[in-house]
Each structure stands twice: as structure tokens, then as C-alpha cells.
Amino acid sequence: MIASACFTTLLFLLLSQDASGAPTASPTVVGRSMPIRRLSPSSQNLTLVAQQAKDQRDILGVKYGGQLLQQRGTGYNLYHTFADRTCFNSYYGTIAIGTPPVSYDVILDTGSSDLWLTSSICGPGCGTSPTYDPAKSSSFQNLSTPFEISYGSGAVAGYVAEETVQMAGFEVAKQGFGVVNALSSAFNTNPVSGIMGLAWSPLSSTQQTPFWQTLASGGSWDSALFGVQLTRYGNVSNAAQNEPGGVIDLGYTNSSLYTGSIEYHNLVGTPQYWEINMNTLTVQGKSIDIAGISTAIIDTGTTNIAGPASAVASIYAQIPGSQAGTGQLDGYYTYPCSTTVNVQFNFGGNTWSMSPADFTHSQVSTTECLGAFFIASFGSGGPSWVIGDAFLKNVYSVFKYSPASVGFAALSETAISQNGIKAAVPSPTIGAVTAATNTGAASSASSGAVSSGPLSTLLCFWLASTSIAFLFW
Ligand SMILES: *[C@@H]1O[C@H](CO)[C@@H](O)[C@H](O)[C@H]1NC(C)=O
Ligand SMILES: *[C@@H]1O[C@H](CO)[C@@H](O)[C@H](O)[C@H]1NC(C)=O
Ligand SMILES: *[C@@H]1O[C@H](CO)[C@@H](O)[C@H](O)[C@H]1NC(C)=O
Ligand SMILES: *[C@@H]1O[C@H](CO)[C@@H](O)[C@H](O)[C@H]1NC(C)=O
């Protein structure tokens, strides 16, 4: 409905602007990319890894706990991502928000659907990252819908507002998002100030249409999809805290980054998560039984790979010397680091191999490593698997609006050569206009690199978001 409203408006604008009366050409072909940066945990001792491993399990259980709709209006996804960030590697990019625009670093999360930012009145719990100040923006509009959520040891609270948001040269006016006023636990999130959720609107806790979906449904992109390439540092012992993390291509796929064709798989059911069906999973050449437990969410915001207990046990059964973890490592397995573990996924087309480097989450003793696969049960209605970055680093992945699908393609030599190169961290690309960089303490955010945005397409976004606001409020 939104899509067709916007499309009609766009057509109308194009036709009315065409003095010759001849059929107008299709809308301006647009696609833009933004570098992704990768954040590593600051230290990796066993105590910390174990604590973080437990957190990852607890949080995923909450995020995908089979009560998806009940989670609307909550801040669980926010907590998930911040905690995940503290635990493990995160891939993040830069957005600009407000008038005048100010830039912020946000986690790019295909496993959730809200944009969240910590606000300037948030207490110490929000850490040292730059925060959003509504008083400094003329485009701030308070929707005054409060949200609050308690979790194990703390709480998240704030309200929903609308703002002008830009990412990679695209702009959406009146983008609804969550302004976080309180995080009771101290999360060390610097330089990240929030999350950009890249899944579908039915999941949105703030009940807003996600930024990407407004753009994709508005017909303003060359292709209604986005592509993601993530770099690997798994076997580089001393990767810096910030490294080049790959790229997100909005509105097109960059054929320099992959070879062959993109293999698309339609989403399972009504689009909420990027959830597809897995056909086969093999470990050391042996097929794992996934009959009846084959749905998988493709989640850039999760570091590892979660699956049902029976299947995860059979995965490690293929690895002599592997052992189920206990205590904080409950649900995880350790295995001899000397074993090269080959895992292959098949979603109904090609077989995609995961690098043995990505099977190793971390080394936990002189001989033992923690594996990337862990047990999580999401209950009925939840997915069976959550496939995170450990796999996604091995492919160019594509998230397509229509037909709603996830695609994978083989990485090109160009893409592979960007793994672990320890190059300079890329400058953020922000939006259509120069944005001030809101630097927090020790923030590595660089000055706002600028790319120009096409005004014609922005108009449609404005109209699209107006209709969205109308439909919702
Ligand atoms: C592990 O790291 C944590 C957090 O940095 C620190 O508090 C703890 O003392 C470290 N433990 C060891 C054994 O080094
Ligand atoms: C926005 O509305 C919420 C809920 O009414 C309120 O708590 C908050 O202070 C408002 N924010 C601003 C900046 O006015
Ligand atoms: C580490 O990664 C590089 C680049 O991806 C690769 O060439 C090398 O073989 C890897 N080394 C090990 C021990 O896996
Ligand atoms: C595609 O990727 C290559 C390799 O990273 C890069 O040099 C090029 O600028 C990208 N092209 C576009 C259109 O983004």
C-alpha cells in the first residue's frame, strides 16, 4: 500500500514534469555503498569469553524467543545488540540524523527492525559514545510514545520520535526511531551509539517502517535490495579494535565483489526476519539431520551460529575430542584447535563452504578452541537456526525486497583480498549533506565524508514517509 502510494506519486511527478508528453524514463537509477567498520572486543581472556558466550546465548533466547509479537514495544533488540557488541565482533556503519545533520555510528543488524539511538540525557549507562540531542535539531518530532523494558539485570527506557535520517547518501524524512533515555547497565559501546535494524516492519518494536524498507518500497533504488560483504579477521591474532569491515551496497549489488550469479531463496512465510529454509548442513563431509528444524534467520547482528541442541550435538560428534561446555559455556562446545573443521550449508542451490577460520570462535586454552556453533532453542514459532557473521563472511549476501528473499553469491578475489588486511579504517560516508561528527571520548569516527544525494529521489521518500505517518498515526 505504501509502496504503491509512493510509486503512484512518483509516476505522477515524473509525468507532470515531462513537458513532451512522451512516456517518462524509469526513475533515476541509484545505488550507493557505505563502508562498514568492524569492532573487536578489547580483550579476550577466558573469563571474559565465557561471560560473553553466556550473554550471547541468553540474549538470542530473548531476541528470538518464540514471542515475536509480544516483544513489540520493548527494547530487547536494543539490549541484544549492545550486549552483543560488548561481547563479540560487530559490524557498524554511519548515519546522519537531524537538521543540521549530525553523524552517529550504528550497528547494522539484519536481525531486528528498529533504529535506536542513545540520547543526550541518557545517564552513565549509555557509555561514552556520542548521543543524540533533540534540542539541537529542527526536524525532531516527538511521537511521545514511551517504551520501557526490564531484562535480567537492568532496564532500557525512552520514547519514539521522528527525524530526518540519512545513510549512504539516501535520506528518509520523518523516520520513526527510538530515543533511549536510560540504560541501567554500563555498556561499553563506544564508538557505537545505536542500531540500524535492517529487517522488516512487522518486527519493529517502535512500530515504524525501517529505513531500508521505505527506500526499497519507494521504488527509488536501481534494485530494491541491499548487498553486504563482511571481512574476516578470525585468524589475525592482533586485529585492531577498529578495522575495515566490508561494505553495504544499498539499491544495487557490486559485481566486483562476487562472481557468478546470485542465488536467491524466498523468505519463509510473511516477511519479518530474513528467514529462509536450509536444505542440508554437512560437517566434515557428514550430513547433519535437520529434518523439521531447518528454518534459518540470516542475521548480520549476531556473531556466531545458533541451532537446536540435537543438531549442534551431531555437529560436534563429527569432531573427535570435542566436549560440551559447562557453567557459563553451557550450550557451547570446545574442540581441539588442531582440527580443521569444514562446514557446508546448502539452501537449495549451491553448497556454501564456511572457512575453518570461522568455525573457531576463540582459543580457550593452549589446545582447546570454542566452536562457533552453539545451542539455542527459540520455542515454537521461532526459527531453528540463527546464522550470523561466522557464515556471512564467506559470501556476498543480498537482502531483496521483492520477491522477499535472501541471496548468496561467491566472493570475488577482490572481496577475499580485503580479509584481514589491517588497512586504514574507512571514513564514514554519511549522507546528502555535510554532517557534523559528534565525537565522543576516544571515538574513532572520522570527519564526515560526503556523498551527494539525488534530490528527486528524496522527494519520494518524503512522500512515502508522510503516507507511512498517516497510516500509522
Ligand atoms: C579478564 O578481563 C576482565 C575484563 O577486562 C578483567 O576484569 C579480568 O581481570 C581478566 N581476567 C584475567 C584472568 O586476566
Ligand atoms: C518526548 O516525549 C516523551 C514522552 O511524552 C517525553 O518523556 C520526552 O521528554 C519528550 N522529549 C522531548 C525532547 O521533548
Ligand atoms: C589466515 O587468513 C589468510 C587470509 O584469509 C589466509 O591466507 C591464511 O591461509 C589463513 N591462515 C590460517 C592459519 O588459517
Ligand atoms: C565495487 O567494489 C569495488 C571493490 O571494493 C570498488 O572498488 C568499487 O568502487 C565498487 N563499485 C561501486 C559502484 O560501488
Side-chain angles (χ1 to χ4, degrees), residues 57-435:
R57 259 194 102 211
D58 291 350
I59 291 158
L60 267 203
V62 171
K63 185 178 181 184
Y64 295 114
Q67 307 163 348
L68 304 182
L69 293 177
Q70 283 90 321
Q71 286 176 34
R72 287 175 71 110
T74 76
Y76 272 131
N77 284 338
L78 175 74
Y79 171 60
H80 148 76
T81 306
F82 277 172
D84 219 22
R85 140 72 190 101
T86 323
C87 303
F88 297 121
N89 303 326
S90 292
Y91 292 90
Y92 69 99
T94 305
I95 62 168
I97 187 162
T99 309
V102 175
S103 73
Y104 299 92
D105 292 331
V106 290
I107 306 260
L108 300 170
D109 182 18
T110 62
S112 68
S113 301
D114 291 290
L115 172 62
W116 303 97
L117 274 185
T118 52
S119 89
S120 51
I121 65 162
C122 189
C126 286
T128 53
S129 308
T131 51
Y132 166 74
D133 185 355
K136 292 191 176 148
S137 171
S138 62
S139 44
F140 166 78
Q141 273 194 298
N142 200 343
L143 295 181
S144 299
T145 316
F147 62 82
E148 182 167 4
I149 180 67
S150 301
Y151 50 84
S153 58
V156 178
Y159 58 90
V160 182
E162 284 179 348
E163 259 292 17
T164 301
V165 175
Q166 298 175 64
M167 184 165 92
F170 293 105
E171 177 177 301
V172 172
K174 298 178 185 289
Q175 172 67 54
F177 73 114
V179 181
V180 176
N181 276 343
L183 274 176
S184 67
S185 305
F187 293 111
N188 174 23
T189 60
N190 190 56
V192 170
S193 302
I195 302 166
M196 173 64 92
L198 295 168
W200 297 74
S201 54
L203 276 187
S204 168
S205 302
T206 55
Q207 308 200 11
Q208 304 298 315
T209 300
F211 179 86
W212 80 272
Q213 200 177 331
T214 301
L215 296 176
S217 65
S220 308
W221 282 347
D222 180 4
S223 307
L225 50 74
F226 57 94
V228 176
Q229 172 230 351
L230 302 176
T231 57
R232 171 186 310 121
Y233 289 77
N235 75 353
V236 176
S237 52
N238 57 344
Q241 203 197 350
N242 271 282
E243 297 275 5
V247 75
I248 180 167
D249 296 320
L250 298 176
Y252 77 113
T253 60
N254 184 341
S255 55
S256 304
L257 297 175
Y258 61 89
T259 59
S261 57
I262 299 167
E263 173 191 300
Y264 286 102
H265 300 288
N266 288 340
L267 300 192
V268 175
T270 315
Q272 294 191 9
Y273 291 106
W274 293 100
E275 183 170 9
I276 57 176
N277 212 55
M278 197 162 30
N279 243 26
T280 60
L281 175 65
T282 64
V283 177
Q284 308 299 54
K286 181 155 190 301
S287 188
I288 305 300
D289 184 5
I290 56 167
I293 45 169
S294 60
T295 57
I297 283 170
I298 308 302
D299 184 359
T300 58
T302 289
T303 304
N304 288 323
I305 299 170
S310 60
V312 171
S314 1
I315 289 171
Y316 289 98
Q318 310 313 316
I319 308 167
S322 64
Q323 284 192 309
T326 55
Q328 290 184 316
L329 292 183
D330 186 34
Y332 288 80
Y333 283 76
T334 56
Y335 71 100
C337 299
S338 56
T339 311
T340 299
V341 183
N342 290 296
V343 178
Q344 294 180 316
F345 294 85
N346 185 299
F347 301 93
N350 291 317
T351 292
W352 304 101
S353 295
M354 176 171 136
S355 162
D358 296 325
F359 188 83
T360 308
H361 170 67
S362 53
Q363 190 156 351
V364 294
S365 75
T366 48
T367 55
E368 297 300 298
C369 279
L370 195 65
F373 283 78
F374 66 101
I375 297 170
S377 172
F378 305 117
S380 66
S384 294
W385 300 84
V386 174
I387 299 182
D389 304 330
F391 171 70
L392 297 176
K393 286 181 275 186
N394 296 277
V395 289
Y396 182 84
S397 37
V398 183
F399 301 83
K400 191 175 190 176
Y401 178 71
S402 181
S405 49
V406 174
F408 299 117
L411 291 173
S412 66
E413 284 305 318
T414 303
I416 291 169
S417 70
Q418 292 171 10
N419 284 334
I421 53 173
K422 298 175 84 71
V425 178
S427 296
T429 305
I430 297 163
V433 293
T434 308

